Amino acid sequence: MSRHGEMEGRAVGRALRRFRNRLPRLGHRAGSARDNLGEAVNEPERTQENSLPSFAGGQHFFEYLLVVSLKKKRSGDDYEPTITYQFPKRENLLRGQQEEEERLLKAIPLFCFPDGNEWAPLTEYPRETFSFVLTNVDGSRKIGYCRRLLPAGPGPRLPKVYCIISCIGCFGLFSKILDEVEKRHQISMAVIYPFMQGLREAAFPAPGKTVTLKSFIPDSGTEYISLTRPLDSHLEHVDFSSLLHCLRFEQIIQIFASAVLERKIIFLAEGLSTLSQCIHAAAALLYPFSWAHTYIPVVPESLLATVCCPTPFMVGVQMRFQQEVLDSPMEEVLLVNLCEGTFLLSVGDEKDILPPKLQEDILVSLDQGISDLTSEQINEHVSGPFVQFFVKTVGHYASYIKREANGQGHFQERSFYKAVSSKTNRRFVKKFVKTQLFSLFIQEAEKSKNPPAGYFQQKILEYEQQKKQKKSRERL
């Protein structure tokens, strides 16, 4: 490596090391691709059904409601994000629990204001809804659901963030909860407390079920708030609308292809909401596989050096930092401008990664009209063709896990990809089996004595049934 390259590498390392101590301590798994610089920043958020905690229901909705405000630093004109309200206050914690909580609460403000400290009081500011994920040393994940807005009052003022910390991945549901918090915040902080207390005492509903909360608001009386969890839980964490608004289907397929080969992908956008929703949607296209590398929906300004990392990442960067990103030393990156709907940088082979026939199948399915569909139907319409792609290419995986007497499985990789009859499909599968996406999925399958009874397995069974029926008709 050149001296210049070494200096750049040290600079990136210093930036990441400086930030490491500000996050909850992160754990490493031996032999995992996550044992890299990216993990020091933020363990990748697992946005698929087999990674974010899968809740049957009955869990608590949230752990904390926090208000993060901007406070002027003692020296200079910059502001520093600070937690100014916390519910509930935890008491009687053991020493280890207290240290863990302190690390968590220290990290959160930076992700609520990832766009730096140079703020000035405002009279108008459009509200933004976004999210982030932090991972504890034991591997448990906490998701921050954020609503940034301008507090009520006369004259110029600074925005604040309402942040709900939960272990549950259900973005649509928490967006509705934030709507209720925002409505109450316009009256008084005191009105928020009984609503959140009622929510904390309620059990998280099972898929397709509803929980109803009774809430009193001064001058409005008693209200009943219904929170319904989507029936199809593998898509409850995502909304594809923003991605469809920003990009064409062909571009979405190219982003998917880059992610499948675990390349570096950067999304640029003005708003935190757009970045957060689009990067969640892009990662969700990989279902039933999980992005196993650095994943930061909105990169804080102090962590922009992440884009220089040599390992794969999927990150969102605000448009104001576009030039810093372009000036950074990067190789083989897909840089997506969500504001313009263009690729600013690309490897050049994105259209050729997927087998042509299967790529065309995805495009044809996506092109079928979505104008009259509900949000949940749009999610299913967009996700379905990509799930079907994996069904057709690797859906036969369970037949190539040979098991010992004790039930431990061993994946027969060579036999698996040789079983793919199409040459173009086989060429793709030979590459895909070498990724961490596939390796982590197969490791879990090897441990399980029976195929998981999830959405992916259901689609595999449906596809195999269709093939049998087709063969039966051909014999007639």
Side-chain angles (χ1 to χ4, degrees):
M1 181 188 289
S2 68
R3 185 170 180 272
H4 177 65
E6 289 175 357
M7 290 174 66
E8 285 170 349
R10 285 198 294 271
V12 174
R14 282 196 300 272
L16 297 177
R17 281 194 296 275
R18 277 199 305 271
F19 190 66
R20 180 180 297 165
N21 295 329
R22 301 178 70 173
L23 289 177
R25 186 170 34 189
L26 302 173
H28 295 266
R29 296 180 188 176
S32 167
R34 285 168 288 184
D35 297 344
N36 55 43
L37 283 173
E39 179 150 332
V41 180
N42 193 14
E43 167 139 343
E45 175 179 352
R46 302 297 192 78
T47 56
Q48 281 70 42
E49 178 185 53
N50 60 330
S51 49
L52 268 182
S54 180
F55 292 96
Q59 308 288 330
H60 283 302
F61 266 87
F62 71 100
E63 292 190 15
Y64 299 102
L65 168 68
L66 305 169
V67 178
V68 179
S69 307
L70 290 166
K71 298 294 181 183
K72 186 165 278 192
K73 292 182 177 179
R74 291 176 182 175
S75 58
D77 295 325
D78 285 355
Y79 290 88
E80 186 172 35
T82 305
I83 294 173
T84 53
Y85 176 85
Q86 175 187 334
F87 169 77
K89 290 281 189 181
R90 294 291 181 87
E91 297 176 352
N92 304 320
L93 292 176
L94 299 176
R95 183 177 176 182
Q97 293 173 322
Q98 188 172 351
E99 289 174 353
E100 189 65 37
E101 182 187 67
E102 287 172 359
R103 281 193 294 270
L104 174 71
L105 297 179
K106 192 175 181 182
I108 287 168
L110 187 64
F111 284 92
C112 291
F113 285 91
D115 31 12
N117 301 324
E118 295 179 7
W119 287 87
L122 306 164
T123 54
E124 291 184 3
Y125 182 81
R127 71 176 189 174
E128 295 191 278
T129 305
F130 56 100
S131 58
F132 61 85
V133 172
L134 298 173
T135 303
N136 287 324
V137 66
D138 62 358
S140 62
R141 292 178 178 82
K142 298 184 190 297
I143 307 167
Y145 299 96
C146 301
R147 174 70 54 82
R148 194 157 82 180
L149 45 75
L150 210 57
R157 51 214 184 277
L158 292 162
K160 64 170 61 174
V161 174
Y162 284 88
C163 179
I164 299 173
I165 302 296
S166 175
C167 297
I168 298 169
C170 192
F171 296 97
L173 200 104
F174 278 94
S175 181
K176 187 172 181 181
I177 293 169
L178 286 167
D179 288 343
E180 296 296 331
V181 170
E182 181 180 353
K183 184 163 69 174
R184 285 157 178 76
H185 122 97
Q186 292 167 357
I187 303 169
S188 165
M189 284 297 297
V191 186
I192 295 175
Y193 171 79
F195 169 70
M196 295 305 288
Q197 181 63 35
L199 186 66
R200 187 163 173 77
E201 292 170 357
F204 189 69
K209 301 299 182 181
T210 298
V211 63
T212 302
L213 302 177
K214 184 178 177 182
S215 177
F216 178 79
I217 298 181
D219 300 327
S220 298
T222 300
E223 286 189 357
Y224 291 91
I225 300 144
S226 295
L227 299 170
T228 303
R229 187 176 175 191
L231 183 61
D232 192 355
S233 61
H234 90 278
L235 288 175
E236 67 184 347
H237 58 274
V238 68
D239 181 353
F240 285 108
S241 300
S242 285
L243 196 65
L244 296 178
H245 178 74
C246 294
L247 300 169
R248 302 189 314 274
F249 289 139
E250 291 86 353
Q251 293 171 312
I252 293 171
I253 292 172
Q254 290 177 53
I255 291 169
F256 168 75
S258 297
V260 161
L261 290 191
E262 298 180 321
R263 291 182 174 178
K264 303 165 195 168
I265 306 173
I266 303 171
F267 293 90
L268 289 171
E270 293 282 0
L272 302 179
S273 302
T274 300
L275 275 178
S276 180
Q277 289 175 17
C278 286
I279 198 168
H280 282 310
L285 294 176
L286 297 171
Y287 174 86
F289 303 95
S290 300
W291 181 257
H293 304 278
T294 301
Y295 179 94
I296 313 177
V298 185
V299 177
E301 182 183 18
S302 58
L303 273 182
L304 285 176
T306 303
V307 302
C308 305
C309 287
T311 52
F313 55 74
M314 191 183 295
V315 300
V317 176
Q318 286 186 285
M319 191 62 75
R320 71 183 70 183
F321 304 125
Q322 176 182 335
Q323 198 55 50
E324 286 97 318
V325 170
L326 289 170
D327 290 343
S328 301
M330 300 180 294
E331 293 181 3
E332 294 199 335
V333 66
L334 181 62
L335 181 56
V336 184
N337 184 333
L338 293 169
C339 296
E340 302 292 334
T342 58
F343 293 162
L344 299 181
L345 294 173
S346 65
V347 177
D349 65 346
E350 286 83 0
K351 293 180 181 179
D352 304 318
I353 293 171
L354 307 182
K357 173 64 171 66
L358 297 184
Q359 187 166 265
E360 183 62 24
D361 289 347
I362 296 174
L363 189 57
V364 169
S365 295
L366 291 174
D367 268 335
Q368 295 170 2
I370 59 173
S371 56
D372 298 324
L373 301 182
T374 65
S375 177
E376 284 187 35
Q377 289 171 331
I378 288 173
N379 284 350
E380 180 57 42
H381 177 85
V382 175
S383 172
F386 294 97
V387 174
Q388 204 61 27
F389 170 84
F390 286 126
V391 167
K392 292 174 180 176
T393 52
V394 298
H396 58 298
Y397 74 93
S399 301
Y400 292 88
I401 297 177
K402 304 302 178 187
R403 300 198 177 275
E404 298 175 4
N406 63 3
Q408 176 62 42
H410 299 282
F411 181 60
Q412 311 297 304
E413 181 182 303
R414 183 175 171 81
S415 300
F416 168 74
Y417 67 69
K418 286 187 76 173
V420 180
S421 56
S422 162
K423 286 185 178 179
T424 52
N425 290 7
R426 192 186 314 136
R427 199 176 301 125
F428 166 80
V429 171
K430 283 180 75 172
K431 290 181 182 177
F432 184 57
V433 296
K434 302 299 183 185
T435 64
Q436 283 294 313
L437 283 173
F438 188 78
S439 295
L440 292 172
F441 178 85
I442 285 297
Q443 284 172 26
E444 291 301 314
E446 286 175 329
K447 294 175 192 173
S448 175
K449 294 182 180 180
N450 300 305
Y455 180 80
F456 186 54
Q457 187 63 26
Q458 175 191 328
K459 291 301 175 184
I460 290 172
L461 294 174
E462 288 176 6
Y463 179 66
E464 289 176 349
Q465 188 63 32
Q466 289 167 3
K467 285 201 300 183
K468 286 179 183 176
Q469 291 172 354
K470 185 179 178 183
K471 283 184 178 179
S472 298
R473 287 194 299 269
E474 288 171 351
R475 290 197 194 104
L476 297 175

